[in-house]
Amino acid sequence: MKESVVVALDVGGTGMKCALVRPDGTVVHEERHPTLAARGPEAVTENILSVAESLAGKARADGLTPVATGIAVPGVVDELNGVAVWSANVGFRDVPLRDLAVQRLGMPAALGHDVRVGALAEARLGAGRGRGHVLFVAIGTGIAAGLVINGAGYPGAHGAAGELGHVVVRPGGALCGCGARGCLEAEASAKSIGRRYAELSGITGATAFDVATRAAAGEELAGRVWQEAAEALAAGLLAAQALYDVQVVVLGGGLAEAGDDLLRPVRAAVAEGITFHRTPEIVRAELGDTAGCRGAALLALDHSAGPTAEHRRNPTKDQE
Ligand SMILES: [Zn+2]
């Protein structure tokens, strides 16, 4: 029998990560394509569908059987109805991407939120595997989170759950893209760390990576900016822990590349701030930038598999 694969796409503001993923989550083929966001949402939609179609063709040419399509996009995503409701950087407004993919490729499809499907992959295949309650936090240009309970993601009533980046951690703090002040994203995202350091040092163009490197080398100003960001992040995680009581918090996205330089001060600030809640383990993500494609594939299999899906996504339930 031919081996099945899922056609998976993780669509970002500038690029799309694309893959053929086996049902066990392993990636057998990867491609990258530009999103072409500047050409407008209709062109992006056509681009996504044609890339998916060519990936399905590639699978067949390699002797594999494509069985489903999984697509992850940023913004507000109605997973139940398969609609990309709203996205600032891709320009989607109520695009029924799932049904378009079903029509075009002739197989089941699922649409998910990029960070929430990344969470699904980390919880089931990566740093959260074997745990029932996992919070994945992606820290890059922005900050967002995905809660996974017993292998199932939590999308929220309107497809907008997990906006941890817009929890206010410093009232009156830095202006956020959403219009509020002191949002976690405005205080601790990679972008805001670079901007804060540039403001204070006068060194323009410094990135969060530069700040981490300078802080590790003992530069006082960089150390302060880094520490303040870690404390803001801890404040966000404490709010999340008060709400969700998870076993493990998985930190991903570009900023997590800092590894222990990030984990150490965040763990310390969380330990200091916690009162009666249970302190979650705080670990680094394991799947890197394949998490989105793998999670989109898992979501597509869950949606297409029917009654066996619950068992497959939840093999560790009895270990709790
Ligand atoms: Zn905000």
Side-chain angles (χ1 to χ4, degrees), residues 81-134:
N81 295 303
V83 175
V85 177
W86 179 89
S87 154
N89 48 7
V90 183
F92 288 140
R93 300 288 181 275
D94 294 317
V95 180
L97 256 181
R98 181 190 63 198
D99 289 351
L100 292 171
V102 170
Q103 282 164 22
R104 183 78 162 257
L105 284 97
M107 57 188 181
L111 181 71
H113 178 266
D114 55 357
V115 174
R116 294 197 301 259
V117 299
L120 202 60
E122 284 290 346
R124 281 158 64 174
L125 308 169
R129 66 188 175 279
R131 308 304 183 83
H133 298 77
V134 179

Short mmCIF file of all heavy atoms in Angstrom, two decimals, residues 81-134:
data_model
loop_
_atom_site.label_atom_id
_atom_site.label_comp_id
_atom_site.label_asym_id
_atom_site.label_seq_id
_atom_site.Cartn_x
_atom_site.Cartn_y
_atom_site.Cartn_z
N ASN A 81 -15.30 26.57 10.79
CA ASN A 81 -15.86 26.81 9.46
C ASN A 81 -14.79 26.94 8.37
O ASN A 81 -15.13 27.15 7.20
CB ASN A 81 -16.74 28.05 9.49
CG ASN A 81 -17.95 27.84 10.38
OD1 ASN A 81 -18.73 26.92 10.17
ND2 ASN A 81 -18.09 28.66 11.41
N GLY A 82 -13.53 26.86 8.77
CA GLY A 82 -12.45 26.90 7.79
C GLY A 82 -12.29 28.25 7.10
O GLY A 82 -11.95 28.30 5.92
N VAL A 83 -12.53 29.33 7.86
CA VAL A 83 -12.49 30.66 7.27
C VAL A 83 -11.34 31.50 7.87
O VAL A 83 -11.21 31.59 9.09
CB VAL A 83 -13.83 31.40 7.50
CG1 VAL A 83 -13.77 32.84 6.98
CG2 VAL A 83 -14.97 30.65 6.82
N ALA A 84 -10.52 32.09 6.98
CA ALA A 84 -9.52 33.07 7.42
C ALA A 84 -10.25 34.39 7.59
O ALA A 84 -10.57 35.07 6.62
CB ALA A 84 -8.41 33.18 6.38
N VAL A 85 -10.58 34.72 8.83
CA VAL A 85 -11.49 35.84 9.12
C VAL A 85 -10.82 37.19 8.91
O VAL A 85 -11.39 38.11 8.32
CB VAL A 85 -12.02 35.73 10.57
CG1 VAL A 85 -12.91 36.93 10.92
CG2 VAL A 85 -12.80 34.43 10.75
N TRP A 86 -9.59 37.29 9.41
CA TRP A 86 -8.92 38.60 9.38
C TRP A 86 -7.43 38.39 9.56
O TRP A 86 -7.01 37.58 10.38
CB TRP A 86 -9.45 39.47 10.52
CG TRP A 86 -8.83 40.82 10.60
CD1 TRP A 86 -9.27 41.94 9.97
CD2 TRP A 86 -7.67 41.20 11.36
NE1 TRP A 86 -8.44 42.99 10.28
CE2 TRP A 86 -7.46 42.57 11.12
CE3 TRP A 86 -6.78 40.51 12.20
CZ2 TRP A 86 -6.40 43.28 11.69
CZ3 TRP A 86 -5.72 41.21 12.78
CH2 TRP A 86 -5.55 42.58 12.52
N SER A 87 -6.64 39.08 8.77
CA SER A 87 -5.20 39.04 8.98
C SER A 87 -4.59 40.34 8.53
O SER A 87 -4.82 40.79 7.40
CB SER A 87 -4.61 37.87 8.18
OG SER A 87 -3.27 38.14 7.89
N ALA A 88 -3.81 40.95 9.43
CA ALA A 88 -3.19 42.24 9.12
C ALA A 88 -2.12 42.08 8.04
O ALA A 88 -2.08 42.84 7.08
CB ALA A 88 -2.57 42.84 10.38
N ASN A 89 -1.26 41.05 8.16
CA ASN A 89 -0.12 41.00 7.24
C ASN A 89 -0.34 40.22 5.95
O ASN A 89 0.42 40.34 5.01
CB ASN A 89 1.17 40.54 7.96
CG ASN A 89 0.95 39.31 8.81
OD1 ASN A 89 -0.12 38.71 8.77
ND2 ASN A 89 1.95 38.93 9.56
N VAL A 90 -1.41 39.41 5.89
CA VAL A 90 -1.70 38.72 4.63
C VAL A 90 -2.89 39.38 3.91
O VAL A 90 -3.06 39.23 2.71
CB VAL A 90 -1.97 37.21 4.89
CG1 VAL A 90 -2.22 36.47 3.58
CG2 VAL A 90 -0.80 36.57 5.63
N GLY A 91 -3.70 40.13 4.65
CA GLY A 91 -4.79 40.87 4.04
C GLY A 91 -6.10 40.10 3.92
O GLY A 91 -7.04 40.56 3.28
N PHE A 92 -6.19 38.90 4.54
CA PHE A 92 -7.43 38.13 4.44
C PHE A 92 -8.60 38.79 5.15
O PHE A 92 -8.46 39.31 6.26
CB PHE A 92 -7.24 36.74 5.07
CG PHE A 92 -6.37 35.81 4.28
CD1 PHE A 92 -5.46 34.98 4.92
CD2 PHE A 92 -6.47 35.75 2.90
CE1 PHE A 92 -4.66 34.11 4.21
CE2 PHE A 92 -5.68 34.87 2.17
CZ PHE A 92 -4.77 34.05 2.83
N ARG A 93 -9.76 38.78 4.51
CA ARG A 93 -11.02 39.18 5.14
C ARG A 93 -12.05 38.14 4.74
O ARG A 93 -12.48 38.09 3.60
CB ARG A 93 -11.50 40.55 4.64
CG ARG A 93 -10.56 41.72 4.89
CD ARG A 93 -10.51 42.11 6.37
NE ARG A 93 -9.61 43.26 6.57
CZ ARG A 93 -8.29 43.18 6.74
NH1 ARG A 93 -7.69 42.01 6.74
NH2 ARG A 93 -7.56 44.25 6.92
N ASP A 94 -12.41 37.27 5.68
CA ASP A 94 -13.44 36.25 5.44
C ASP A 94 -13.20 35.41 4.18
O ASP A 94 -14.08 35.28 3.33
CB ASP A 94 -14.83 36.90 5.38
CG ASP A 94 -15.21 37.47 6.74
OD1 ASP A 94 -14.98 36.79 7.75
OD2 ASP A 94 -15.73 38.60 6.78
N VAL A 95 -12.03 34.83 4.08
CA VAL A 95 -11.72 33.95 2.94
C VAL A 95 -12.00 32.49 3.34
O VAL A 95 -11.39 31.99 4.29
CB VAL A 95 -10.24 34.10 2.51
CG1 VAL A 95 -9.94 33.17 1.33
CG2 VAL A 95 -9.92 35.55 2.16
N PRO A 96 -12.92 31.80 2.64
CA PRO A 96 -13.25 30.40 2.99
C PRO A 96 -12.20 29.43 2.47
O PRO A 96 -12.47 28.59 1.62
CB PRO A 96 -14.61 30.19 2.31
CG PRO A 96 -14.57 31.09 1.13
CD PRO A 96 -13.71 32.28 1.50
N LEU A 97 -11.00 29.55 3.01
CA LEU A 97 -9.85 28.81 2.47
C LEU A 97 -10.01 27.29 2.50
O LEU A 97 -9.58 26.60 1.59
CB LEU A 97 -8.59 29.19 3.25
CG LEU A 97 -7.60 30.14 2.59
CD1 LEU A 97 -6.42 30.36 3.51
CD2 LEU A 97 -7.12 29.61 1.24
N ARG A 98 -10.63 26.80 3.58
CA ARG A 98 -10.76 25.34 3.66
C ARG A 98 -11.60 24.79 2.50
O ARG A 98 -11.18 23.86 1.82
CB ARG A 98 -11.40 24.92 4.99
CG ARG A 98 -11.50 23.40 5.10
CD ARG A 98 -12.34 22.95 6.27
NE ARG A 98 -13.72 23.42 6.13
CZ ARG A 98 -14.60 23.48 7.12
NH1 ARG A 98 -14.25 23.14 8.34
NH2 ARG A 98 -15.82 23.92 6.90
N ASP A 99 -12.76 25.40 2.27
CA ASP A 99 -13.63 24.89 1.20
C ASP A 99 -12.99 25.07 -0.18
O ASP A 99 -13.13 24.22 -1.05
CB ASP A 99 -15.00 25.58 1.25
CG ASP A 99 -15.82 25.13 2.46
OD1 ASP A 99 -15.37 24.16 3.12
OD2 ASP A 99 -16.86 25.72 2.73
N LEU A 100 -12.26 26.17 -0.33
CA LEU A 100 -11.56 26.38 -1.61
C LEU A 100 -10.53 25.28 -1.84
O LEU A 100 -10.37 24.77 -2.95
CB LEU A 100 -10.88 27.76 -1.63
CG LEU A 100 -11.84 28.96 -1.66
CD1 LEU A 100 -11.08 30.26 -1.44
CD2 LEU A 100 -12.59 29.01 -3.00
N ALA A 101 -9.83 24.89 -0.75
CA ALA A 101 -8.82 23.83 -0.87
C ALA A 101 -9.47 22.48 -1.16
O ALA A 101 -8.95 21.69 -1.95
CB ALA A 101 -7.98 23.76 0.41
N VAL A 102 -10.63 22.22 -0.53
CA VAL A 102 -11.34 20.96 -0.79
C VAL A 102 -11.73 20.89 -2.26
O VAL A 102 -11.51 19.88 -2.93
CB VAL A 102 -12.59 20.84 0.12
CG1 VAL A 102 -13.46 19.66 -0.32
CG2 VAL A 102 -12.18 20.68 1.58
N GLN A 103 -12.29 22.01 -2.78
CA GLN A 103 -12.72 22.04 -4.19
C GLN A 103 -11.53 21.83 -5.13
O GLN A 103 -11.59 21.06 -6.08
CB GLN A 103 -13.35 23.39 -4.52
CG GLN A 103 -14.77 23.54 -4.04
CD GLN A 103 -15.22 25.01 -4.03
OE1 GLN A 103 -14.64 25.84 -4.74
NE2 GLN A 103 -16.21 25.32 -3.22
N ARG A 104 -10.45 22.52 -4.83
CA ARG A 104 -9.31 22.49 -5.75
C ARG A 104 -8.56 21.17 -5.71
O ARG A 104 -8.14 20.66 -6.75
CB ARG A 104 -8.37 23.64 -5.36
CG ARG A 104 -7.18 23.79 -6.25
CD ARG A 104 -7.55 24.50 -7.56
NE ARG A 104 -6.37 25.00 -8.21
CZ ARG A 104 -5.99 26.27 -8.20
NH1 ARG A 104 -6.74 27.19 -7.64
NH2 ARG A 104 -4.88 26.64 -8.79
N LEU A 105 -8.37 20.59 -4.52
CA LEU A 105 -7.53 19.40 -4.41
C LEU A 105 -8.32 18.10 -4.31
O LEU A 105 -7.74 17.02 -4.37
CB LEU A 105 -6.56 19.53 -3.23
CG LEU A 105 -5.37 20.46 -3.52
CD1 LEU A 105 -5.62 21.86 -2.99
CD2 LEU A 105 -4.09 19.89 -2.99
N GLY A 106 -9.64 18.20 -4.09
CA GLY A 106 -10.46 17.00 -4.05
C GLY A 106 -10.17 16.06 -2.90
O GLY A 106 -10.31 14.85 -3.03
N MET A 107 -9.75 16.62 -1.78
CA MET A 107 -9.55 15.78 -0.58
C MET A 107 -9.86 16.63 0.65
O MET A 107 -9.95 17.86 0.55
CB MET A 107 -8.13 15.21 -0.54
CG MET A 107 -7.02 16.22 -0.58
SD MET A 107 -5.43 15.35 -0.75
CE MET A 107 -4.30 16.74 -0.72
N PRO A 108 -10.06 15.99 1.82
CA PRO A 108 -10.40 16.77 3.02
C PRO A 108 -9.32 17.81 3.32
O PRO A 108 -8.15 17.62 3.01
CB PRO A 108 -10.45 15.73 4.14
CG PRO A 108 -10.60 14.41 3.45
CD PRO A 108 -9.97 14.56 2.11
N ALA A 109 -9.74 18.92 3.95
CA ALA A 109 -8.79 19.98 4.29
C ALA A 109 -9.18 20.58 5.64
O ALA A 109 -10.32 20.48 6.08
CB ALA A 109 -8.79 21.06 3.22
N ALA A 110 -8.18 21.20 6.29
CA ALA A 110 -8.44 21.92 7.54
C ALA A 110 -7.65 23.22 7.49
O ALA A 110 -6.58 23.30 6.89
CB ALA A 110 -8.01 21.09 8.74
N LEU A 111 -8.24 24.25 8.12
CA LEU A 111 -7.57 25.55 8.23
C LEU A 111 -7.33 25.83 9.70
O LEU A 111 -8.24 25.68 10.52
CB LEU A 111 -8.45 26.64 7.61
CG LEU A 111 -7.86 28.04 7.63
CD1 LEU A 111 -6.71 28.16 6.64
CD2 LEU A 111 -8.93 29.09 7.30
N GLY A 112 -6.10 26.22 10.04
CA GLY A 112 -5.78 26.51 11.43
C GLY A 112 -5.02 27.82 11.57
O GLY A 112 -4.57 28.40 10.58
N HIS A 113 -4.90 28.26 12.81
CA HIS A 113 -4.13 29.46 13.13
C HIS A 113 -2.66 29.08 13.28
O HIS A 113 -2.35 28.05 13.90
CB HIS A 113 -4.67 30.02 14.45
CG HIS A 113 -3.95 31.23 14.94
ND1 HIS A 113 -2.92 31.16 15.84
CD2 HIS A 113 -4.13 32.53 14.66
CE1 HIS A 113 -2.49 32.39 16.10
NE2 HIS A 113 -3.20 33.24 15.40
N ASP A 114 -1.76 29.88 12.72
CA ASP A 114 -0.35 29.46 12.68
C ASP A 114 0.23 29.11 14.06
O ASP A 114 0.88 28.08 14.22
CB ASP A 114 0.52 30.51 11.94
CG ASP A 114 0.41 31.91 12.51
OD1 ASP A 114 -0.37 32.15 13.45
OD2 ASP A 114 1.15 32.79 11.99
N VAL A 115 -0.02 29.95 15.05
CA VAL A 115 0.56 29.68 16.37
C VAL A 115 -0.17 28.54 17.07
O VAL A 115 0.44 27.69 17.71
CB VAL A 115 0.58 30.95 17.25
CG1 VAL A 115 1.04 30.63 18.67
CG2 VAL A 115 1.50 31.99 16.63
N ARG A 116 -1.50 28.48 16.90
CA ARG A 116 -2.24 27.40 17.57
C ARG A 116 -1.91 26.03 16.98
O ARG A 116 -1.89 25.04 17.71
CB ARG A 116 -3.75 27.68 17.53
CG ARG A 116 -4.13 28.92 18.35
CD ARG A 116 -5.63 28.96 18.66
NE ARG A 116 -6.46 28.98 17.48
CZ ARG A 116 -7.03 30.07 16.97
NH1 ARG A 116 -6.85 31.25 17.53
NH2 ARG A 116 -7.80 29.98 15.89
N VAL A 117 -1.65 25.94 15.68
CA VAL A 117 -1.24 24.63 15.15
C VAL A 117 0.21 24.31 15.53
O VAL A 117 0.56 23.16 15.76
CB VAL A 117 -1.46 24.46 13.62
CG1 VAL A 117 -2.92 24.59 13.26
CG2 VAL A 117 -0.58 25.38 12.82
N GLY A 118 1.04 25.36 15.67
CA GLY A 118 2.40 25.15 16.17
C GLY A 118 2.34 24.58 17.58
O GLY A 118 3.11 23.68 17.94
N ALA A 119 1.39 25.09 18.35
CA ALA A 119 1.18 24.59 19.72
C ALA A 119 0.78 23.12 19.69
O ALA A 119 1.26 22.31 20.47
CB ALA A 119 0.10 25.42 20.42
N LEU A 120 -0.12 22.79 18.77
CA LEU A 120 -0.58 21.41 18.64
C LEU A 120 0.61 20.47 18.38
O LEU A 120 0.74 19.41 18.98
CB LEU A 120 -1.56 21.35 17.46
CG LEU A 120 -2.57 20.23 17.36
CD1 LEU A 120 -3.48 20.23 18.57
CD2 LEU A 120 -3.38 20.39 16.08
N ALA A 121 1.48 20.90 17.47
CA ALA A 121 2.64 20.07 17.12
C ALA A 121 3.61 19.95 18.30
O ALA A 121 4.07 18.86 18.62
CB ALA A 121 3.35 20.65 15.90
N GLU A 122 3.90 21.07 18.98
CA GLU A 122 4.82 21.00 20.12
C GLU A 122 4.23 20.15 21.24
O GLU A 122 4.95 19.43 21.93
CB GLU A 122 5.17 22.40 20.64
CG GLU A 122 6.17 23.16 19.77
CD GLU A 122 7.59 22.58 19.81
OE1 GLU A 122 7.90 21.78 20.70
OE2 GLU A 122 8.40 22.95 18.93
N ALA A 123 2.90 20.24 21.42
CA ALA A 123 2.27 19.48 22.51
C ALA A 123 2.25 17.99 22.22
O ALA A 123 2.42 17.17 23.12
CB ALA A 123 0.85 19.99 22.75
N ARG A 124 2.05 17.63 20.95
CA ARG A 124 1.91 16.21 20.64
C ARG A 124 3.20 15.55 20.17
O ARG A 124 3.41 14.35 20.38
CB ARG A 124 0.82 16.02 19.59
CG ARG A 124 -0.55 16.11 20.27
CD ARG A 124 -1.68 16.46 19.33
NE ARG A 124 -1.93 15.47 18.31
CZ ARG A 124 -2.95 15.54 17.45
NH1 ARG A 124 -3.80 16.55 17.53
NH2 ARG A 124 -3.12 14.64 16.53
N LEU A 125 4.08 16.33 19.55
CA LEU A 125 5.30 15.74 18.97
C LEU A 125 6.59 16.33 19.55
O LEU A 125 7.65 15.76 19.38
CB LEU A 125 5.33 15.99 17.45
CG LEU A 125 4.10 15.61 16.63
CD1 LEU A 125 4.23 16.17 15.22
CD2 LEU A 125 3.95 14.10 16.57
N GLY A 126 6.50 17.49 20.17
CA GLY A 126 7.70 18.22 20.57
C GLY A 126 7.89 18.29 22.08
O GLY A 126 7.72 17.30 22.80
N ALA A 127 8.21 19.49 22.56
CA ALA A 127 8.62 19.68 23.96
C ALA A 127 7.51 19.40 24.97
O ALA A 127 7.79 19.25 26.16
CB ALA A 127 9.15 21.10 24.14
N GLY A 128 6.26 19.34 24.53
CA GLY A 128 5.16 19.11 25.47
C GLY A 128 4.61 17.69 25.43
O GLY A 128 3.63 17.38 26.10
N ARG A 129 5.26 16.82 24.65
CA ARG A 129 4.66 15.49 24.46
C ARG A 129 4.58 14.73 25.79
O ARG A 129 5.46 14.84 26.64
CB ARG A 129 5.39 14.69 23.39
CG ARG A 129 6.78 14.30 23.73
CD ARG A 129 7.48 13.67 22.52
NE ARG A 129 8.85 13.41 22.86
CZ ARG A 129 9.81 14.35 22.83
NH1 ARG A 129 9.54 15.58 22.46
NH2 ARG A 129 11.05 14.05 23.20
N GLY A 130 3.48 13.99 25.92
CA GLY A 130 3.27 13.24 27.17
C GLY A 130 2.59 14.06 28.25
O GLY A 130 2.29 13.53 29.32
N ARG A 131 2.37 15.37 27.99
CA ARG A 131 1.74 16.21 29.01
C ARG A 131 0.31 16.54 28.58
O ARG A 131 0.06 16.77 27.40
CB ARG A 131 2.50 17.53 29.16
CG ARG A 131 3.97 17.36 29.38
CD ARG A 131 4.23 16.48 30.60
NE ARG A 131 5.65 16.38 30.84
CZ ARG A 131 6.34 17.30 31.52
NH1 ARG A 131 5.74 18.35 32.00
NH2 ARG A 131 7.62 17.16 31.69
N GLY A 132 -0.58 16.62 29.53
CA GLY A 132 -1.98 16.88 29.22
C GLY A 132 -2.30 18.34 28.99
O GLY A 132 -3.20 18.68 28.23
N HIS A 133 -1.57 19.23 29.67
CA HIS A 133 -1.90 20.66 29.60
C HIS A 133 -0.65 21.45 29.23
O HIS A 133 0.27 21.59 30.04
CB HIS A 133 -2.45 21.16 30.94
CG HIS A 133 -3.74 20.48 31.31
ND1 HIS A 133 -3.77 19.20 31.81
CD2 HIS A 133 -5.02 20.90 31.21
CE1 HIS A 133 -5.05 18.86 32.01
NE2 HIS A 133 -5.82 19.86 31.65
N VAL A 134 -0.66 21.97 28.01
CA VAL A 134 0.54 22.61 27.46
C VAL A 134 0.19 24.00 26.93
O VAL A 134 -0.80 24.16 26.22
CB VAL A 134 1.10 21.76 26.29
CG1 VAL A 134 2.33 22.42 25.67
CG2 VAL A 134 1.42 20.33 26.74
#
